[in-house]
Amino acid sequence: MRAGDGSGAGGEPSDGAGTRVRPTDGSRTCVQRTDAPGARVHPAAEPTGTTVTLLPPPGLRTDDVLEAVAGLVDKSVLCREPGPGGVRYRLLDTLRQYGLEQLRRVAGEEEAARRRQRDWMLRRAEECERGWFGPGQPETVARLRADRDNLRAALDFSFSAPGETLAGLRLAGTLWFYWHACGAAREGLYWLDRALAAAPEPTRERARGLWVAGLLAAAARDFPMGRRHAAEALALARALGDAAEAAHAEYVIGVIRLFGDDLPGALRHFETTVARGPVPGQHLSLAGLDQVELACALGFLGEAERAVEVCEQVLRLCERHGEQWVRSYVLRILALAHSVRRDWPRAERHGREALRLKLAVHDVIGIALTLDLLASIAAERGAHEHAAVLLGGADRVWADIDTGRWGSHTLNSVRRDSEERAAPALGRDAFERAHRRGHALGLADLVGHALQEPGRSHPGEDAAAPPSHDDTTVRLTRRETEVARLVAEGLANQQIADRLVIARRTAEGHVERILSKLGFSNRSQIAAWMTAQR
């Protein structure tokens, strides 16, 4: 670096007061004071840069860290941004890569830093799991989504470094609720497959990893693999004397029976588990879902009164804990039960509220199931165009899960019956137009249509997902707009800096913030977006 750029000894970026920025791995950054060896600031990364969360270590005062970070922000080395759970700091990718090269010059430093990062992520995951059955679920999802690159770095280290696989398996298994409930089933299965292959020892972590992998495999329609994993998990948990993990494995076995069209077998299974009650250590979410699946089997078998009775018990449990995700499934089953009763207004009301809660945590599977049910209700009520739009949206959501709806006769017959009612009533051409309209909607707009609240901002969507590329609600500052316009003209960062008479580092910071705000990953997307705004 040039003199006057704030370079420290050896060319590392410095704030001029003994503070250096050194990345701890490919996606984390460490802010280190040279007068306080070992001081660390733990970060969380995103694709277009690196964000950091301040966690001062022993021996270093919080004020010292904040003072150092403020100096780096002033020099545009770090970019300060609001984020879920508090303020985050983004480091330019070029500086992160440079610092990583410096870190690798010291033998063992990179591995030690990666291990600290993994352990930090594991603690965060365990904290999130402990609080999952309770209030604040959308906020938990938003924080975990913001930490996706941090999580990937932790898992990748665990499965590539000797002796770290068990901790990686524990991390992947701890996040069962995130993989399953928040639209990340395929990624979760990828990591669990690696973890189970790397850690074959008969441990509690393996028992959990097996049933989680079984649940996620079933969600991707691989029922045979799901059954094998769940059965192995159950046998291992029983051999270890772990009643909680055995109960969790039993839940997965029952779900596969339910959506594999063995409704009588699923009913008997969940009657047994619900009658037994929760076992010590069993997660309340899964204990609650045992009752939900019992009610679901009852609803599919036409026993609406019993289904409603079971649902009311689970609702009271959810209300005591301020829980929303399990509650969304209870409301969906209440909608199903009232459909069996042909009480369409009440069924629709419960279905809409279920959909609202599912969007808040980005529960893609739950959204797909609920859209199917709401389309069926709309068709029964004679709202055929509305039903066609919902079917189009449901088909698009299912395309990301399994277009065949897991091969379930029950689920596919609901979808088929809805089309057979709506298409003749509208005419095939009108039905196809409405279906295409629903198929083109994003999740938030689709849920808004289902709720008959077009344009409504839904809880958790903004926090849980980046802005879409055509989001016209994004607002850039005046300077960011100038920079974006120059990017669209094809100027490089140094050319932008020269044109605006600013430092190159400042120009880079503006580009990084624009990418983050718009949810983009490269400059060509900025150019296309700017063109669309004209």
Side-chain angles (χ1 to χ4, degrees):
M1 289 192 177
R2 299 186 306 273
D5 266 355
S7 302
E12 290 182 358
S14 169
D15 67 351
T19 301
R20 296 177 185 171
V21 179
R22 299 200 299 157
T24 57
D25 57 44
S27 65
R28 295 183 74 244
T29 299
C30 158
V31 176
Q32 183 179 37
R33 303 257 326 171
T34 55
D35 58 348
R40 290 294 185 271
V41 176
H42 295 271
E46 294 180 355
T48 55
T50 301
T51 54
V52 296
T53 303
L54 301 182
L55 294 175
L60 187 66
R61 295 184 302 114
T62 300
D63 289 347
D64 292 334
V65 175
L66 295 177
E67 179 184 353
V69 170
L72 297 175
V73 171
D74 288 342
K75 294 174 174 56
S76 297
V77 174
L78 292 179
C79 303
R80 185 182 188 277
E81 298 176 356
V87 172
R88 292 174 175 241
Y89 295 86
R90 183 179 301 278
L91 177 67
L92 301 183
D93 188 66
T94 51
L95 293 177
R96 177 172 62 84
Q97 291 297 336
Y98 172 80
L100 181 59
E101 293 172 4
Q102 302 302 309
L103 181 66
R104 287 172 176 165
R105 292 182 177 182
V106 183
E109 272 290 294
E110 181 182 3
E111 182 176 341
R114 287 181 182 273
R115 185 177 295 107
R116 284 192 296 272
Q117 186 266 347
R118 192 273 318 284
D119 292 345
W120 172 79
M121 192 66 230
L122 178 57
R123 289 192 297 272
R124 168 164 286 200
E126 290 171 342
E127 179 185 357
C128 289
E129 189 203 20
R130 285 193 296 272
W132 179 245
F133 194 83
Q137 287 172 324
E139 292 77 15
T140 295
V141 175
R143 286 196 299 272
L144 287 172
R145 286 173 69 87
D147 279 340
R148 279 176 294 188
D149 284 315
N150 220 19
L151 172 59
R152 291 163 184 163
L155 289 168
D156 188 64
F157 164 72
S158 297
F159 305 135
S160 58
E164 303 295 339
T165 54
L166 189 62
L169 177 56
R170 184 181 304 124
L171 173 57
T174 296
L175 287 171
W176 63 267
F177 63 96
Y178 175 68
W179 309 128
H180 179 56
C182 309
R186 293 186 187 279
E187 180 174 359
L189 187 57
Y190 165 78
W191 290 116
L192 282 158
D193 282 346
R194 287 186 63 181
L196 292 170
E201 297 81 10
T203 60
R204 179 182 184 275
E205 288 82 1
R206 181 171 177 83
R208 168 166 287 206
L210 283 165
W211 70 256
V212 178
L215 181 61
L216 300 180
R221 198 186 174 178
D222 194 342
F223 279 12
M225 179 180 288
R227 290 190 188 95
R228 288 195 301 272
H229 280 328
E232 185 180 347
L234 180 58
L236 178 56
R238 286 175 172 171
L240 295 172
D242 194 320
E245 299 303 345
H248 297 155
E250 287 176 328
Y251 168 75
V252 178
I253 292 170
V255 167
I256 294 173
R257 286 180 179 171
L258 180 64
F259 290 107
D261 292 318
D262 181 10
L263 296 179
L267 177 61
R268 291 191 298 272
H269 178 93
F270 286 113
E271 282 179 332
T272 300
T273 59
V274 169
R276 177 196 61 204
V279 302
Q282 184 179 7
H283 200 283
L284 274 179
S285 291
L286 293 169
L289 287 175
D290 272 342
Q291 299 178 71
V292 169
E293 308 304 356
L294 171 59
C296 184
L298 290 168
F300 281 145
L301 291 168
E303 298 189 42
E305 300 303 325
R306 285 187 63 194
V308 170
E309 181 180 344
V310 173
C311 285
E312 288 175 348
Q313 294 174 4
V314 192
L315 274 181
R316 289 194 289 272
L317 175 67
C318 294
E319 288 168 358
R320 285 199 301 271
H321 291 268
E323 204 279 343
Q324 298 182 54
W325 177 60
V326 172
R327 185 171 185 268
S328 73
Y329 276 101
V330 179
L331 291 168
R332 175 182 165 270
I333 302 306
L334 281 173
L336 172 64
H338 289 302
S339 295
V340 173
R341 290 173 163 177
R342 304 188 71 79
D343 185 346
W344 308 120
R346 188 173 295 181
E348 188 171 55
R349 186 168 67 252
H350 286 311
R352 288 178 175 176
E353 181 59 23
L355 198 60
R356 191 192 311 273
L357 293 177
K358 290 181 180 302
L359 180 63
V361 296
H362 200 69
D363 181 359
V364 176
I365 294 174
I367 289 171
L369 290 166
T370 308
L371 285 171
D372 275 347
L373 182 56
L374 285 170
S376 173
I377 294 168
E380 289 279 4
R381 300 191 74 180
H384 298 119
E385 183 176 1
H386 184 54
V389 173
L390 292 180
L391 279 177
D395 286 346
R396 187 191 70 78
V397 178
W398 275 109
D400 293 333
I401 305 166
D402 175 58
T403 55
R405 287 166 169 76
W406 303 319
S408 168
H409 171 76
T410 303
L411 295 179
N412 280 294
S413 64
V414 170
R415 192 241 177 268
R416 184 177 59 253
D417 291 347
S418 299
E419 181 171 353
E420 289 176 352
R421 285 189 179 89
L426 289 173
R428 176 52 61 177
D429 289 344
F431 174 84
E432 293 293 343
R433 286 195 298 272
H435 184 277
R436 286 195 298 271
R437 192 162 74 248
H439 199 277
L441 293 174
L443 273 185
D445 290 335
L446 180 57
V447 171
H449 179 87
L451 300 176
Q452 297 185 343
E453 299 171 350
R456 177 184 176 89
S457 176
H458 297 283
E461 180 67 9
D462 291 340
S468 63
H469 292 183
D470 60 351
D471 189 350
T472 57
T473 65
V474 174
R475 294 289 181 265
L476 302 181
T477 66
R478 181 183 60 80
R479 177 63 88 182
E480 288 167 351
T481 301
E482 288 179 318
V483 172
R485 187 176 298 114
L486 295 175
V487 169
E489 292 178 11
L491 273 64
N493 287 342
Q494 186 60 61
Q495 293 170 309
I496 293 172
D498 293 342
R499 180 78 64 87
L500 299 178
V501 195
I502 58 177
R504 176 192 174 96
R505 189 187 299 163
T506 302
E508 290 175 350
H510 285 310
V511 173
E512 294 286 353
R513 282 190 291 273
I514 293 166
L515 288 168
S516 177
K517 280 188 176 183
L518 298 177
F520 294 156
S521 59
N522 59 63
R523 300 165 75 93
S524 63
Q525 291 172 311
I526 297 177
W529 185 82
M530 282 300 297
T531 301
Q533 304 309 302
R534 294 169 182 167

